Amino acid sequence: MIIRNILVCILLAFGAVSASAQKTDTTVVKKDSTTIDSPVLKADSALRAETGIIEADTIVKPKAKGPVKDSARLALEAMPRKAVLRSALIPGWGQFYNKGVWWLKVPAIYGGLIAFGIAIHDNQSMYNVFLKEAQYRQQYKKELDPRYVLYDDEGIIRIKNGYRRNRDLSILGLAGVYAVNIIEAYVDAKFFRFDIGDDLGLKINPSLQQGTYASHVIPGIKVSLSL
């Protein structure tokens, strides 16, 4: 009888200890499952941030910066460069590319180039003639060409230098026409999309303004800008 009571007490004691252990384990599991800001989770998040591992839902795509240009705008912006290259290769080609009144600009460009080209050729030819005359007189002390008998040595040298100066100025004029051809093509293409119609302009007209007295009229100028 005593032994049976002892066994019953031992069994009750084991049951109480087992129930207490199960309650403790359940509490720990609930705490682990409901705790969000745990040190383990924080350490895991920091590790992901350092190693560059980012969840798919947290990736932020960069936004495009600046305005998006369409094909028409890009074509307009490319016009000046194309016009300059064309006019640099062949004078007048840029004006033809820009359209407009190219049929007036191209003849003017080639007219200037041809005129200065002829001037360069003529002045160079006459410079050579008087250069030979001056050298011949310096060497043989007499005239080479009978047409220049009336000119003394200093006169021959002055004429020679004059033709040389005119030749150099003609070369500068030729280069200037070529440069103007390129600049005009660039400017025309650059301002292609700007309004230059008849409704836009600056008008200056004479006017009369009232003076201090009623009979006193002051002449003036009236400036008006129409848009």
Side-chain angles (χ1 to χ4, degrees):
M1 186 69 177
I2 295 173
I3 296 174
R4 187 177 65 181
N5 292 333
I6 293 173
L7 292 175
V8 170
C9 290
I10 292 172
L11 291 175
L12 290 175
F14 274 110
V17 172
S18 177
S20 177
Q22 290 180 359
K23 184 177 180 181
T24 303
D25 294 341
T26 304
T27 303
V28 172
V29 170
K30 287 183 178 180
K31 183 177 181 181
D32 292 341
S33 61
T34 57
T35 301
I36 297 177
D37 298 332
S38 62
V40 177
L41 291 178
K42 289 183 179 179
D44 182 67
S45 300
L47 180 61
R48 287 174 177 270
E50 291 178 359
T51 56
I53 301 176
I54 304 174
E55 299 295 337
D57 56 350
T58 60
I59 297 176
V60 179
K61 295 181 178 180
K63 296 181 180 180
K65 296 182 180 180
V68 179
K69 299 180 181 180
D70 56 4
S71 58
R73 183 179 179 85
L74 292 175
L76 287 175
E77 292 181 353
M79 281 185 64
R81 179 176 58 84
K82 292 182 178 180
V84 167
L85 291 177
R86 283 168 168 77
S87 288
L89 292 175
I90 302 177
W93 191 10
Q95 284 72 17
F96 179 79
Y97 171 75
N98 292 335
K99 305 303 179 184
V101 291
W102 65 268
W103 47 274
L104 288 177
K105 298 176 182 179
V106 173
I109 292 171
Y110 278 96
L113 294 175
I114 292 172
F116 282 110
I118 293 174
I120 293 171
H121 177 269
D122 292 345
N123 284 283
Q124 180 64 33
S125 299
M126 297 304 298
Y127 170 77
N128 292 333
V129 170
F130 283 91
L131 176 62
K132 290 180 180 179
E133 182 70 24
Q135 291 175 347
Y136 188 86
R137 288 189 179 191
Q138 185 178 5
Q139 184 176 0
Y140 298 103
K141 306 301 180 181
K142 62 178 182 178
E143 297 79 11
L144 173 64
D145 194 332
R147 293 176 298 176
Y148 308 125
V149 174
L150 299 179
Y151 297 95
D152 58 2
D153 295 348
E154 293 182 359
I156 294 295
I157 293 175
R158 283 198 305 269
I159 295 174
K160 173 184 69 69
N161 294 336
Y163 280 117
R164 182 181 61 185
R165 182 179 64 255
N166 293 338
R167 179 204 61 190
D168 296 342
L169 293 175
S170 299
I171 293 174
L172 292 177
L174 182 69
V177 173
Y178 179 77
V180 168
N181 149 69
I182 297 176
I183 295 172
E184 196 281 332
Y186 174 81
V187 172
D188 190 21
K190 191 69 174 179
F191 293 96
F192 175 79
R193 56 179 178 269
F194 289 90
D195 183 14
I196 54 174
D198 296 336
D199 296 335
L200 179 65
L202 180 66
K203 296 181 180 180
I204 302 176
N205 299 317
S207 65
L208 297 176
Q209 300 178 4
Q210 186 67 38
T212 306
Y213 302 99
S215 60
H216 190 195
V217 180
I218 302 175
I221 296 176
K222 181 180 179 181
V223 180
S224 60
L225 177 64
S226 59
L227 301 176

